[in-house]
Amino acid sequence: MAHIVWDDPGAHSVADYYAKDPNIDAEPHTGSILSARHRGRVIRVRVEAYDRDAGLSHGEVAAIIDPETGKRADRHGDLKVGDRVALPDDKRAFEPSAPDQEDEDEPS
């Protein structure tokens, strides 16, 4: 399992968002796709197991995405698609909106 130092989600924190509405079940399940940030990239993790007591999802890196362009990569630094990782609940982050291709193609 790769040891990852996850970026702080800041204002995009999933845990903070769901703490405001206890009626929503934000617990990950097998097959869930979670997002977090690592060295400025969005990392999607496919959950294989969830440890409720530790608040930790175990799974496989499903995608590595540049948040500014929306382009995917197979690797970013020490992390690659397919690596097994542990993702703490407090590091989960909502993904930023990707730029709209249609808007980029239009002249200013």
Side-chain angles (χ1 to χ4, degrees), residues 10-103:
H12 298 272
S13 172
V14 170
D16 288 351
Y17 178 83
Y18 286 119
K20 295 174 188 167
D21 190 346
N23 296 316
I24 298 175
D25 177 16
E27 183 175 304
H29 302 282
T30 300
S32 295
I33 302 292
L34 307 179
S35 296
R37 308 262 169 73
H38 174 61
R39 294 186 178 177
R41 296 293 188 259
V42 172
I43 309 299
R44 290 184 183 162
V45 176
R46 181 178 300 109
V47 176
E48 295 170 348
Y50 181 66
D51 181 340
R52 182 178 296 122
D53 294 333
L56 198 61
S57 297
H58 299 276
E60 178 181 82
V61 173
I64 300 172
I65 304 166
D66 181 325
E68 300 209 4
T69 65
K71 293 187 179 184
R72 293 176 180 237
D74 293 331
R75 168 182 295 281
H76 181 63
D78 57 348
L79 188 63
K80 65 183 184 305
V81 172
D83 281 350
R84 301 228 182 281
V85 296
L87 174 59
D89 286 346
D90 67 346
K91 298 300 181 183
R92 291 170 52 196
F94 288 108
E95 292 188 22
S97 298
D100 188 356
Q101 279 300 103
E102 194 172 296
D103 289 344

